[in-house]
Amino acid sequence: MSIKNSLFKFPDIFKKKSLDALTNSSTEFPLLDVEALCEEWQVAKLGDDDGKKNIPSSSTTTHGSNEQQIIASFSGVLTERKNQAISHVQDLDRQFGNMKLSEMVSQLNTFARNAKNSFEKVIQKAADELQQSKSSFESFNKKYEKFKSQNNLEYDPHYPPSRVLLFSILFIEVLIETFFNFSFFKDVSEDYIIGGVITAFFLSLINVGVLGWFFGKNCFWYKNHTDKNKKIFGWSSFGVFLILAIALNYFVANYRAIATKATTNETVFNFSEVFENMFSLIHPLSLNDLFLFLIGFVAAIIAFVTSYNMDDNYPGYGKIHRQLQDIREEYNETKSIIEEELDSIQKQQIKDVSKLSDDLRVSYNVSTSIIADEETYLLKLKNSHGYLEQTCNVCLRKYQENNESARNKTKPKYFGKKYKFNDDLKIKNNLIENKNILKKASVYVDQIGVHLTNAKNEITNNYEAARDRFRVVENKNKLN
């Protein structure tokens, strides 16, 4: 009911007191200063003035306009408190629902059984991956055995476990020979291209990389092949290597000799003299020239031997064996990953179920507090209804007493009767349902330690069963 007469609106001081619950979280319904309120509303004067006019009529059975305004004012407070109560109770019910007690109890009670699916998925994945890995191994193993059969190989391949060291040797050789090449040519005129660092490095690459590595690793290798033509090719490549290694380093030695002569005599360097001197030796090679030749030739031999020993002596045997071993390693790695995943799932499930147990305890305690708050609040709301009704009757009685004393006619028959609000402040709530949920949860929470232990034991049993099934899958897909 709206209040059109501003006279009976609650003054700010009283309104603040009576509606305090609407604006703070304490949800209290404070008492009113009734005497001060009656004085503020001038209830006695209004009753006296109406009484002198015999208002309301002696025959009326309903409250007069001033009385109705008083009732409307209290009804307004009652309505505001009810609206506040609806909002607050709904919020408490929502908070209780957010605790999800029933769901957490159910989840904890069935956690291990539901989590069992995680192990099942891993085992299924293990069966698929190991079967696929085994098929790949067996397929390549047939290729490997066929290679051995076609090439009459009855021994296991022999090759270094790592070729990093051998490649490091070749790289160091390149650097060392580059250093010596540059050292021997540094006194020659800087205009001669072979005296440069880049050229020295390039020459070393040809000597070690092309001659040593190419012939040692890719050509001489075939001397061990069962095919006669490839065997001849392998042996022939060794002769070609020696010839090229001698020719290259003999050319370098003669180049230094002619370049040194041109620098000493301050004459123009003639490249054709290098080739002429290689056959005629008009200008004999010095000790440094011969030493340069020896360094280059020895470097080529070392690179040749090092490259040859990088793999099994039989062409391609080491490569196909390493590929087979890689597939075996992938198979073993797959097994290790699956075992680690099973271990990880068990640890995570133990951690999760422990956290769920702790969360349930906390949620139960919070839910208990919410229920207590709601019960207290509803009780205060009920008492507030009776108090407002009583206060309203005090104001009405004050008006009626002054009205009656001022009248010269009979008072209305309803004077002195207590007024009752039609609205009793009952609001819809889930208190009974929530208390039942809390009661059921309390039975579980009281024994939560036992339930947690049972859940952990069931998780461990599921884990051990999964490991047993994995061993069955592993044996079924075991590599030969």
Side-chain angles (χ1 to χ4, degrees), residues 157-382:
H158 303 288
Y159 50 83
S162 174
R163 293 186 292 178
V164 175
L165 176 61
L166 299 178
F167 276 113
S168 299
I169 292 174
L170 295 180
F171 178 71
I172 292 173
E173 268 197 271
V174 171
L175 295 181
I176 292 176
E177 188 179 359
T178 299
F179 173 75
F180 278 110
N181 287 342
F182 179 74
S183 297
F184 280 109
F185 284 100
K186 67 180 181 179
D187 295 329
V188 180
S189 174
E190 60 182 9
D191 294 331
Y192 302 139
I193 58 173
I194 204 168
V197 176
I198 296 178
T199 304
F201 180 70
F202 178 72
L203 179 62
S204 178
L205 281 180
I206 295 176
N207 201 35
V208 175
V210 177
L211 295 181
W213 184 81
F214 178 76
F215 282 95
K217 175 67 174 65
N218 299 285
C219 298
F220 187 61
W221 205 20
Y222 284 93
K223 75 179 182 64
N224 303 310
H225 205 282
T226 55
D227 187 290
K228 291 183 179 180
N229 293 329
K230 292 182 178 180
K231 183 176 292 188
I232 292 173
F233 167 76
W235 283 110
S236 300
S237 67
F238 180 66
V240 174
F241 162 74
L242 289 177
I243 293 172
L244 292 177
I246 292 173
L248 175 64
N249 290 286
Y250 185 61
F251 167 79
V252 173
N254 279 273
Y255 186 96
R256 183 183 185 282
I258 300 302
T260 302
K261 179 185 78 69
T263 302
T264 302
N265 298 332
E266 297 183 353
T267 59
V268 178
F269 174 79
N270 190 340
F271 199 87
S272 62
E273 289 185 47
V274 178
F275 293 100
E276 292 176 2
N277 198 66
M278 289 177 65
F279 297 99
S280 63
L281 287 179
I282 295 175
H283 302 287
L285 301 179
S286 66
L287 184 61
N288 284 339
D289 297 333
L290 293 174
F291 190 58
L292 181 62
F293 166 80
L294 182 62
I295 289 175
F297 183 73
V298 170
I301 294 296
I302 293 174
F304 182 89
V305 174
T306 301
S307 300
Y308 178 77
N309 291 323
M310 280 186 176
D311 211 335
D312 186 82
N313 292 337
Y314 196 86
Y317 192 24
K319 179 181 179 181
I320 194 172
H321 184 266
R322 284 192 296 274
Q323 290 175 330
L324 184 67
Q325 291 301 104
D326 287 343
I327 296 177
R328 185 186 292 274
E329 286 298 322
E330 289 178 3
Y331 173 87
N332 292 331
E333 184 177 354
T334 299
K335 288 199 307 180
S336 298
I337 291 174
I338 292 170
E339 291 172 347
E340 290 174 0
E341 190 170 359
L342 289 174
D343 293 342
S344 176
I345 289 175
Q346 184 208 20
K347 293 177 182 177
Q348 187 61 46
Q349 288 186 1
I350 294 293
K351 182 179 179 181
D352 290 344
V353 78
S354 298
K355 183 178 183 302
L356 180 59
S357 175
D358 294 338
D359 291 345
L360 177 57
R361 288 191 183 95
V362 173
S363 295
Y364 176 79
N365 292 334
V366 173
S367 298
T368 302
S369 177
I370 291 173
I371 292 294
D373 288 346
E374 186 169 353
E375 286 183 319
T376 302
Y377 182 85
L378 292 175
L379 179 60
K380 289 180 178 180
L381 181 64
K382 179 180 179 181

Side-chain angles (χ1 to χ4, degrees), residues 124-183:
Q124 183 60 49
K125 182 178 72 172
D128 295 339
E129 291 183 354
L130 290 182
Q131 183 180 8
Q132 182 179 359
S133 184
K134 180 183 179 182
S135 298
S136 299
F137 179 84
E138 290 177 344
S139 176
F140 200 87
N141 189 52
K142 290 179 181 178
K143 182 179 179 180
Y144 173 72
E145 293 296 334
K146 183 179 180 180
F147 182 90
K148 289 180 63 177
S149 175
Q150 289 178 341
N151 295 280
N152 298 322
L153 298 171
E154 297 180 353
Y155 69 94
D156 292 331
H158 303 288
Y159 50 83
S162 174
R163 293 186 292 178
V164 175
L165 176 61
L166 299 178
F167 276 113
S168 299
I169 292 174
L170 295 180
F171 178 71
I172 292 173
E173 268 197 271
V174 171
L175 295 181
I176 292 176
E177 188 179 359
T178 299
F179 173 75
F180 278 110
N181 287 342
F182 179 74
S183 297

